[in-house]
Coordinates of all heavy atoms in Angstrom, one line a residue:
M1 N 34.4 31.4 12.7 CA 33.2 31.0 13.3 C 32.8 29.6 12.8 O 33.1 29.2 11.7 CB 32.1 31.9 12.9 CG 32.2 33.3 13.5 SD 31.4 34.6 12.6 CE 32.6 34.9 11.3
A2 N 32.1 28.9 13.6 CA 31.5 27.6 13.2 C 30.1 28.0 12.7 O 29.6 29.0 13.1 CB 31.5 26.6 14.3
L3 N 29.5 27.1 12.0 CA 28.1 27.3 11.6 C 27.2 26.3 12.5 O 27.7 25.4 13.0 CB 27.9 27.0 10.1 CG 28.7 27.8 9.2 CD1 28.2 27.6 7.8 CD2 28.6 29.3 9.5
R4 N 25.9 26.6 12.5 CA 25.0 25.7 13.2 C 23.7 25.6 12.4 O 23.4 26.5 11.6 CB 24.7 26.2 14.6 CG 23.7 27.4 14.7 CD 23.3 27.6 16.1 NE 22.4 28.8 16.1 CZ 22.0 29.4 17.2 NH1 22.4 28.9 18.4 NH2 21.2 30.5 17.2
I5 N 23.1 24.5 12.6 CA 21.8 24.2 11.9 C 20.7 24.5 12.8 O 20.6 24.1 14.0 CB 21.8 22.7 11.5 CG1 23.0 22.4 10.5 CG2 20.5 22.3 10.9 CD1 23.2 21.0 10.2
T6 N 19.7 25.3 12.3 CA 18.6 25.7 13.1 C 17.5 24.6 13.0 O 17.5 23.7 12.2 CB 18.0 27.0 12.6 OG1 17.3 26.8 11.4 CG2 19.0 28.1 12.5
D7 N 16.4 24.8 13.8 CA 15.4 23.8 13.9 C 14.4 23.8 12.6 O 13.5 23.1 12.6 CB 14.6 23.8 15.2 CG 13.9 25.2 15.4 OD1 13.9 26.0 14.4 OD2 13.4 25.4 16.5
E8 N 14.8 24.6 11.7 CA 14.1 24.6 10.4 C 14.5 23.5 9.5 O 14.0 23.3 8.4 CB 14.2 25.9 9.7 CG 13.3 27.0 10.4 CD 13.7 28.4 10.0 OE1 14.0 28.6 8.8 OE2 13.7 29.2 10.9
C9 N 15.6 22.8 9.9 CA 16.1 21.7 9.1 C 15.1 20.6 8.8 O 14.3 20.2 9.7 CB 17.3 21.0 9.9 SG 17.9 19.5 9.2
I10 N 15.0 20.2 7.5 CA 14.0 19.2 7.1 C 14.6 17.8 6.9 O 14.0 16.9 6.3 CB 13.3 19.7 5.9 CG1 14.3 19.9 4.7 CG2 12.4 20.9 6.1 CD1 13.7 20.1 3.3
N11 N 15.9 17.6 7.4 CA 16.5 16.3 7.4 C 16.6 15.8 5.9 O 16.3 14.6 5.7 CB 15.8 15.3 8.3 CG 16.0 15.7 9.7 OD1 17.0 16.3 10.1 ND2 15.0 15.3 10.6
C12 N 17.0 16.7 5.0 CA 17.0 16.2 3.6 C 18.3 15.4 3.3 O 18.4 14.9 2.2 CB 16.9 17.4 2.7 SG 18.4 18.4 2.7
D13 N 19.2 15.4 4.2 CA 20.5 14.6 4.0 C 21.5 15.2 3.0 O 22.5 14.5 2.7 CB 20.2 13.1 3.6 CG 19.1 12.5 4.4 OD1 19.1 12.8 5.7 OD2 18.4 11.6 3.9
V14 N 21.2 16.3 2.4 CA 22.0 16.8 1.4 C 23.4 17.4 1.9 O 24.4 17.2 1.2 CB 21.3 17.9 0.6 CG1 22.2 18.7 -0.4 CG2 20.1 17.3 -0.2
C15 N 23.4 18.0 3.0 CA 24.6 18.7 3.5 C 25.7 17.7 4.0 O 26.8 18.0 3.8 CB 24.3 19.7 4.6 SG 23.4 19.0 6.0
E16 N 25.3 16.7 4.7 CA 26.2 15.8 5.3 C 27.4 15.4 4.5 O 28.5 15.5 4.8 CB 25.5 14.6 6.0 CG 26.4 13.7 6.8 CD 25.8 12.5 7.2 OE1 24.7 12.1 6.7 OE2 26.3 11.8 8.1
P17 N 27.1 14.8 3.3 CA 28.2 14.4 2.4 C 29.1 15.5 1.8 O 30.2 15.2 1.3 CB 27.5 13.5 1.3 CG 26.1 14.0 1.3 CD 25.8 14.5 2.7
Q18 N 28.6 16.7 1.9 CA 29.3 17.8 1.3 C 30.4 18.4 2.2 O 31.3 19.1 1.8 CB 28.4 19.0 1.0 CG 27.3 18.6 0.0 CD 27.9 18.1 -1.4 OE1 28.9 18.6 -1.8 NE2 27.2 17.2 -2.0
C19 N 30.3 18.0 3.5 CA 31.3 18.6 4.5 C 32.7 18.0 4.4 O 32.8 16.8 4.6 CB 30.7 18.5 5.9 SG 31.9 19.2 7.1
P20 N 33.7 18.8 4.1 CA 35.0 18.3 3.9 C 35.6 17.9 5.3 O 36.7 17.2 5.3 CB 35.8 19.5 3.3 CG 35.1 20.7 3.8 CD 33.6 20.3 3.8
N21 N 35.0 18.3 6.4 CA 35.6 18.0 7.7 C 34.8 17.0 8.4 O 35.0 16.7 9.6 CB 35.7 19.3 8.5 CG 36.6 20.3 8.0 OD1 37.7 19.9 7.5 ND2 36.3 21.6 7.9
N22 N 33.8 16.4 7.8 CA 32.9 15.4 8.5 C 32.3 16.0 9.8 O 32.3 15.3 10.8 CB 33.6 14.1 8.8 CG 34.0 13.4 7.5 OD1 33.2 13.3 6.5 ND2 35.2 12.8 7.4
A23 N 32.0 17.3 9.7 CA 31.5 17.9 10.9 C 30.0 17.8 11.1 O 29.4 18.1 12.1 CB 31.8 19.4 10.9
I24 N 29.3 17.3 10.1 CA 27.8 17.2 10.1 C 27.4 15.8 10.4 O 27.9 14.8 9.8 CB 27.2 17.7 8.8 CG1 27.7 19.1 8.5 CG2 25.7 17.6 8.8 CD1 27.3 19.6 7.1
S25 N 26.5 15.6 11.3 CA 25.9 14.3 11.6 C 24.5 14.4 12.0 O 24.0 15.5 12.4 CB 26.7 13.6 12.7 OG 26.6 14.3 13.9
M26 N 23.8 13.3 12.0 CA 22.4 13.3 12.5 C 22.3 13.4 14.0 O 23.0 12.7 14.7 CB 21.7 12.0 12.0 CG 20.2 12.0 12.2 SD 19.4 13.3 11.3 CE 17.8 13.4 12.1
G27 N 21.6 14.4 14.5 CA 21.5 14.6 15.9 C 20.2 13.8 16.4 O 19.7 12.9 15.8
E28 N 19.7 14.3 17.5 CA 18.5 13.6 18.1 C 17.3 13.7 17.2 O 16.5 12.8 17.0 CB 18.2 14.2 19.5 CG 18.9 13.6 20.6 CD 18.6 14.2 21.9 OE1 17.4 14.5 22.2 OE2 19.5 14.3 22.7
S29 N 17.1 14.9 16.6 CA 15.9 15.0 15.7 C 16.3 15.7 14.4 O 15.6 15.5 13.4 CB 14.8 15.8 16.4 OG 15.3 17.1 16.8
I30 N 17.3 16.5 14.3 CA 17.8 17.1 13.1 C 19.3 17.0 13.0 O 19.9 16.6 13.9 CB 17.4 18.6 13.1 CG1 18.0 19.4 14.3 CG2 15.9 18.8 12.9 CD1 17.9 20.9 14.2
Y31 N 19.8 17.4 11.8 CA 21.2 17.3 11.6 C 21.9 18.4 12.5 O 21.3 19.4 12.8 CB 21.6 17.6 10.2 CG 21.5 16.3 9.4 CD1 20.3 15.9 8.8 CD2 22.6 15.5 9.2 CE1 20.3 14.7 8.1 CE2 22.6 14.3 8.5 CZ 21.4 13.9 7.9 OH 21.3 12.7 7.2
V32 N 23.2 18.1 12.9 CA 23.9 19.0 13.8 C 25.3 19.2 13.2 O 25.8 18.3 12.5 CB 24.0 18.5 15.2 CG1 22.6 18.6 15.9 CG2 24.6 17.1 15.4
I33 N 26.0 20.3 13.6 CA 27.3 20.5 13.2 C 28.2 20.6 14.4 O 27.9 21.2 15.4 CB 27.4 21.9 12.5 CG1 26.7 21.9 11.1 CG2 28.9 22.3 12.3 CD1 26.6 23.2 10.4
D34 N 29.3 19.8 14.4 CA 30.2 19.8 15.5 C 31.1 21.1 15.4 O 31.9 21.1 14.4 CB 31.1 18.5 15.5 CG 32.2 18.6 16.5 OD1 32.2 19.5 17.4 OD2 33.1 17.7 16.4
P35 N 31.0 22.1 16.2 CA 31.7 23.3 16.0 C 33.3 23.1 16.1 O 34.0 23.9 15.5 CB 31.2 24.2 17.2 CG 30.5 23.4 18.1 CD 30.1 22.1 17.4
D36 N 33.7 22.1 16.8 CA 35.1 21.8 16.9 C 35.7 21.3 15.5 O 36.9 21.4 15.3 CB 35.4 20.7 17.9 CG 35.3 21.3 19.3 OD1 35.7 22.4 19.5 OD2 34.9 20.5 20.2
S37 N 34.8 20.8 14.7 CA 35.3 20.3 13.4 C 34.9 21.2 12.2 O 35.3 21.0 11.1 CB 34.7 18.9 13.1 OG 35.1 18.0 14.1
C38 N 34.1 22.2 12.4 CA 33.7 23.1 11.3 C 34.6 24.3 11.2 O 34.8 25.0 12.1 CB 32.3 23.7 11.6 SG 31.7 24.9 10.4
T39 N 35.2 24.4 10.0 CA 36.1 25.5 9.7 C 35.4 26.6 8.9 O 36.1 27.5 8.3 CB 37.4 25.1 9.0 OG1 37.0 24.6 7.7 CG2 38.1 24.0 9.8
E40 N 34.1 26.5 8.7 CA 33.4 27.3 7.8 C 33.9 27.0 6.4 O 33.8 27.9 5.5 CB 33.5 28.8 8.1 CG 32.1 29.4 8.3 CD 32.2 30.9 8.5 OE1 32.6 31.3 9.6 OE2 31.8 31.7 7.6
C41 N 34.5 25.9 6.2 CA 35.1 25.4 4.9 C 36.4 26.1 4.6 O 36.9 25.9 3.5 CB 34.1 25.5 3.8 SG 32.9 24.1 3.8
V42 N 36.9 26.9 5.5 CA 38.2 27.6 5.3 C 39.2 26.5 5.1 O 39.3 25.5 5.8 CB 38.5 28.5 6.5 CG1 40.0 28.9 6.4 CG2 37.6 29.7 6.4
G43 N 40.1 26.7 4.1 CA 41.1 25.7 3.8 C 40.7 24.7 2.7 O 41.5 24.2 2.0
H44 N 39.4 24.5 2.5 CA 38.9 23.6 1.5 C 38.1 24.3 0.4 O 38.3 24.0 -0.8 CB 37.9 22.6 2.1 CG 38.5 21.7 3.1 ND1 39.2 20.6 2.8 CD2 38.5 21.7 4.5 CE1 39.6 19.9 3.9 NE2 39.2 20.6 4.9
H45 N 37.3 25.2 0.7 CA 36.4 25.9 -0.3 C 36.3 27.4 0.0 O 36.5 27.8 1.1 CB 35.0 25.3 -0.3 CG 35.0 23.8 -0.6 ND1 35.2 23.2 -1.8 CD2 34.8 22.7 0.3 CE1 35.1 21.9 -1.7 NE2 34.9 21.6 -0.5
D46 N 35.8 28.1 -1.0 CA 35.6 29.6 -0.9 C 34.4 29.9 -0.1 O 34.3 30.9 0.6 CB 35.5 30.2 -2.2 CG 36.8 30.2 -3.0 OD1 37.9 30.1 -2.3 OD2 36.8 30.4 -4.2
E47 N 33.4 29.0 -0.1 CA 32.1 29.2 0.6 C 31.8 28.0 1.5 O 32.2 26.9 1.1 CB 31.0 29.4 -0.4 CG 31.0 30.6 -1.2 CD 29.8 30.6 -2.2 OE1 30.0 30.0 -3.3 OE2 28.8 31.1 -1.8
P48 N 31.0 28.2 2.5 CA 30.6 27.0 3.3 C 29.7 26.1 2.5 O 28.6 26.6 2.1 CB 29.8 27.7 4.5 CG 30.3 29.1 4.5 CD 30.6 29.5 3.1
Q49 N 30.1 24.9 2.2 CA 29.4 24.1 1.3 C 28.0 23.6 1.8 O 27.1 23.5 1.0 CB 30.3 22.8 1.0 CG 31.6 23.2 0.3 CD 31.3 23.9 -1.1 OE1 30.8 23.3 -2.0 NE2 31.7 25.2 -1.1
C50 N 27.9 23.4 3.1 CA 26.6 23.0 3.6 C 25.6 24.1 3.4 O 24.4 23.9 3.0 CB 26.7 22.7 5.1 SG 27.4 24.0 6.1
K51 N 26.0 25.4 3.6 CA 25.1 26.5 3.4 C 24.7 26.6 1.9 O 23.6 27.0 1.6 CB 25.8 27.8 3.9 CG 24.9 28.8 4.5 CD 25.8 29.8 5.2 CE 25.1 31.2 5.3 NZ 23.7 31.2 5.5
V52 N 25.6 26.4 1.0 CA 25.4 26.5 -0.4 C 24.3 25.5 -0.9 O 23.4 25.8 -1.7 CB 26.7 26.2 -1.2 CG1 26.4 26.0 -2.7 CG2 27.7 27.3 -1.0
V53 N 24.3 24.3 -0.3 CA 23.4 23.2 -0.8 C 22.1 23.1 0.0 O 21.1 22.5 -0.5 CB 24.1 21.8 -0.8 CG1 25.3 21.8 -1.7 CG2 24.5 21.4 0.6
C54 N 22.0 23.7 1.1 CA 20.8 23.6 2.0 C 19.6 24.2 1.3 O 19.6 25.4 1.0 CB 21.0 24.2 3.3 SG 19.5 24.1 4.4
P55 N 18.6 23.4 1.0 CA 17.4 23.9 0.3 C 16.5 24.8 1.1 O 15.7 25.6 0.5 CB 16.6 22.6 -0.1 CG 17.0 21.7 0.9 CD 18.4 22.0 1.3
V56 N 16.6 24.8 2.4 CA 15.7 25.7 3.2 C 16.5 26.8 3.9 O 16.0 27.5 4.8 CB 14.9 24.9 4.2 CG1 13.9 24.0 3.4 CG2 15.8 24.0 5.1
D57 N 17.8 26.9 3.6 CA 18.6 28.0 4.2 C 18.5 28.1 5.7 O 18.3 29.1 6.3 CB 18.2 29.4 3.5 CG 19.2 30.4 3.7 OD1 20.4 30.1 4.0 OD2 18.8 31.6 3.6
C58 N 18.7 26.9 6.3 CA 18.6 26.9 7.8 C 20.0 26.7 8.5 O 20.0 26.3 9.6 CB 17.7 25.7 8.2 SG 18.4 24.1 7.9
I59 N 21.1 27.1 7.8 CA 22.4 27.0 8.4 C 22.9 28.4 8.6 O 22.9 29.2 7.7 CB 23.3 26.2 7.5 CG1 22.7 24.8 7.3 CG2 24.7 26.1 8.2 CD1 23.5 23.9 6.4
E60 N 23.3 28.7 9.8 CA 23.7 30.1 10.2 C 25.0 30.1 11.0 O 25.4 29.1 11.4 CB 22.6 30.8 11.0 CG 22.3 30.1 12.3 CD 21.2 30.7 13.2 OE1 20.4 31.4 12.6 OE2 21.2 30.4 14.4
I61 N 25.5 31.3 11.1 CA 26.7 31.4 12.0 C 26.4 31.2 13.4 O 25.4 31.7 13.9 CB 27.3 32.8 11.8 CG1 28.0 32.9 10.4 CG2 28.3 33.2 12.9 CD1 28.3 34.3 10.0
H62 N 27.2 30.4 14.1 CA 26.9 30.0 15.5 C 27.2 31.3 16.3 O 28.4 31.7 16.3 CB 27.8 28.9 15.9 CG 27.4 28.2 17.1 ND1 27.1 28.9 18.3 CD2 27.1 26.9 17.4 CE1 26.7 28.0 19.2 NE2 26.7 26.8 18.7
P63 N 26.2 31.8 17.0 CA 26.5 33.1 17.8 C 27.5 33.0 18.9 O 28.1 33.9 19.3 CB 25.1 33.4 18.3 CG 24.3 32.2 18.2 CD 24.9 31.3 17.2
Q64 N 27.6 31.8 19.4 CA 28.6 31.6 20.6 C 29.9 31.0 20.1 O 30.7 30.5 20.9 CB 28.0 30.7 21.6 CG 27.0 31.4 22.6 CD 25.6 31.1 22.2 OE1 25.3 29.9 21.9 NE2 24.8 32.1 22.1
W65 N 30.2 31.0 18.9 CA 31.4 30.4 18.4 C 32.1 31.3 17.4 O 32.1 31.0 16.2 CB 31.0 29.0 17.8 CG 32.1 28.0 18.0 CD1 33.3 27.8 17.4 CD2 32.1 27.0 19.1 NE1 34.0 26.8 17.9 CE2 33.3 26.3 19.0 CE3 31.2 26.7 20.1 CZ2 33.6 25.2 19.8 CZ3 31.5 25.6 20.9 CH2 32.7 24.9 20.8
K66 N 32.7 32.3 17.9 CA 33.3 33.3 17.0 C 34.8 33.0 16.8 O 35.5 32.9 17.8 CB 33.1 34.7 17.5 CG 31.7 35.1 17.8 CD 31.3 36.3 17.0 CE 29.8 36.3 16.8 NZ 28.9 37.0 17.5
E67 N 35.2 32.8 15.6 CA 36.6 32.6 15.3 C 37.0 33.5 14.0 O 36.2 33.5 13.1 CB 36.9 31.2 15.0 CG 36.7 30.2 16.1 CD 36.5 28.8 15.7 OE1 35.6 28.5 14.9 OE2 37.3 28.0 16.1
D68 N 38.2 34.1 14.0 CA 38.5 34.8 12.8 C 39.2 33.9 11.8 O 39.4 32.7 12.0 CB 39.4 36.0 13.1 CG 40.7 35.6 13.8 OD1 41.1 34.4 13.7 OD2 41.4 36.4 14.5
Q69 N 39.5 34.4 10.6 CA 40.1 33.6 9.5 C 41.3 32.8 10.0 O 41.5 31.7 9.6 CB 40.4 34.5 8.3 CG 39.2 35.0 7.6 CD 38.5 33.9 6.7 OE1 39.2 33.2 6.0 NE2 37.2 33.7 6.9
Q70 N 42.1 33.5 10.8 CA 43.4 32.9 11.2 C 43.1 31.7 12.1 O 43.7 30.6 12.0 CB 44.2 33.9 12.0 CG 45.6 33.9 11.8 CD 46.4 34.9 12.6 OE1 45.8 35.9 13.1 NE2 47.7 34.8 12.7
A71 N 42.1 31.8 13.0 CA 41.8 30.7 13.9 C 41.2 29.6 13.1 O 41.5 28.4 13.3 CB 40.8 31.2 14.9
L72 N 40.4 29.9 12.1 CA 39.8 28.9 11.2 C 40.8 28.1 10.4 O 40.8 26.9 10.3 CB 38.7 29.5 10.3 CG 37.5 30.0 11.0 CD1 36.6 30.8 10.0 CD2 36.6 28.8 11.5
M73 N 41.8 28.9 10.0 CA 42.9 28.2 9.2 C 43.7 27.3 10.1 O 44.1 26.2 9.7 CB 43.8 29.3 8.6 CG 44.7 28.8 7.5 SD 43.9 27.7 6.3 CE 44.0 28.6 4.8
A74 N 44.0 27.8 11.4 CA 44.7 27.0 12.3 C 43.9 25.7 12.6 O 44.5 24.6 12.7 CB 44.9 27.8 13.6
K75 N 42.6 25.8 12.7 CA 41.7 24.6 13.0 C 41.8 23.7 11.8 O 42.0 22.5 12.0 CB 40.3 25.1 13.2 CG 39.4 24.0 13.8 CD 37.9 24.4 13.6 CE 37.4 25.3 14.7 NZ 35.9 25.4 14.6
Y76 N 41.8 24.2 10.6 CA 41.9 23.4 9.4 C 43.2 22.6 9.4 O 43.3 21.4 9.1 CB 41.9 24.4 8.1 CG 42.4 23.8 6.9 CD1 41.7 22.8 6.1 CD2 43.7 24.1 6.4 CE1 42.2 22.3 5.0 CE2 44.2 23.6 5.2 CZ 43.5 22.7 4.5 OH 44.0 22.1 3.4
R77 N 44.3 23.3 9.8 CA 45.6 22.6 9.8 C 45.7 21.5 10.9 O 46.2 20.5 10.6 CB 46.7 23.7 10.1 CG 46.9 24.6 9.0 CD 48.3 25.3 9.0 NE 48.4 26.3 7.9 CZ 48.3 27.6 8.1 NH1 48.1 28.1 9.3 NH2 48.4 28.4 7.1
T78 N 45.0 21.8 12.0 CA 45.0 20.8 13.0 C 44.2 19.6 12.6 O 44.6 18.4 12.8 CB 44.4 21.4 14.3 OG1 45.1 22.5 14.7 CG2 44.3 20.4 15.4
L79 N 43.1 19.8 11.9 CA 42.2 18.8 11.5 C 42.8 17.9 10.4 O 42.6 16.7 10.3 CB 40.8 19.3 11.0 CG 39.9 19.9 12.1 CD1 38.8 20.7 11.5 CD2 39.4 18.8 13.0
T80 N 43.5 18.6 9.5 CA 44.0 17.9 8.3 C 45.5 17.4 8.5 O 45.9 16.6 7.7 CB 43.9 18.7 7.1 OG1 44.7 19.9 7.3 CG2 42.5 19.1 6.8
G81 N 46.2 18.0 9.5 CA 47.6 17.7 9.6 C 48.4 18.4 8.6 O 49.6 18.0 8.4
K82 N 47.9 19.4 7.9 CA 48.6 20.1 6.8 C 49.2 21.4 7.4 O 48.7 22.0 8.3 CB 47.7 20.5 5.7 CG 47.3 19.3 4.9 CD 46.4 19.7 3.7 CE 45.9 18.5 2.9 NZ 44.8 18.7 2.1
N83 N 50.4 21.8 6.9 CA 51.0 23.0 7.3 C 50.8 24.1 6.3 O 50.6 23.9 5.2 CB 52.5 22.7 7.5 CG 52.7 21.8 8.7 OD1 52.2 22.0 9.8 ND2 53.6 20.8 8.5
Ligands
SF4_101 S1 30.7 25.2 6.8 FE1 31.9 23.6 5.8 S2 33.1 22.7 7.5 FE2 31.4 23.7 8.4 S3 29.8 22.2 8.6 FE3 29.5 23.3 6.7 S4 30.4 22.1 5.1 FE4 31.3 21.4 7.1
SF4_102 S1 20.8 20.6 3.9 FE1 19.7 21.9 5.3 S2 17.7 20.9 5.5 FE2 19.0 19.4 4.6 S3 19.8 18.2 6.3 FE3 21.3 19.8 5.9 S4 20.7 21.5 7.3 FE4 19.0 20.1 7.1

């Protein structure tokens, strides 16, 4: 699954530099996650780093973007070029 940022985001800028896939960027009014680049941190960390650091807990699983561990690992490999 990819994660998404809800409209409770306070634009604190903390999550963006933590993302190992550069999936987080400033959107029109709040930060957004590119689901094509989010592996839920699979391949890099044990936990989603953006979720760990967010002070208002406004990052959740994207309801329309379901992927299992295998798919996330495949995405990680594609993004990083690692086998
Ligand atoms: S879960 Fe990981 S890969 Fe996905 S946006 Fe958050 S920090 Fe980036
Ligand atoms: S850490 Fe949370 S509140 Fe801060 S910019 Fe990221 S999503 Fe928004």
Side-chain angles (χ1 to χ4, degrees):
M1 289 157 278
L3 299 190
R4 76 170 176 190
I5 295 170
T6 71
D7 58 11
E8 284 161 41
C9 172
I10 56 169
N11 294 331
C12 73
D13 311 325
V14 169
C15 58
E16 185 187 15
Q18 299 301 324
C19 180
N21 294 320
N22 293 319
I24 304 173
S25 61
M26 189 62 197
E28 275 182 36
S29 55
I30 55 169
Y31 276 88
V32 293
I33 294 173
D34 172 12
D36 286 324
S37 298
C38 175
T39 64
E40 235 185 287
C41 283
V42 166
H44 294 281
H45 302 285
D46 291 340
E47 292 179 273
Q49 296 301 291
C50 55
K51 214 167 153 40
V52 168
V53 298
C54 180
V56 294
D57 197 19
C58 70
I59 305 176
E60 62 181 19
I61 287 167
H62 198 307
Q64 279 101 44
W65 216 278
K66 303 238 156 100
E67 295 160 302
D68 60 18
Q69 286 287 310
Q70 217 177 347
L72 290 168
M73 195 45 115
K75 195 197 276 190
Y76 162 76
R77 291 201 182 101
T78 302
L79 289 168
T80 60
K82 289 182 184 162
N83 290 313

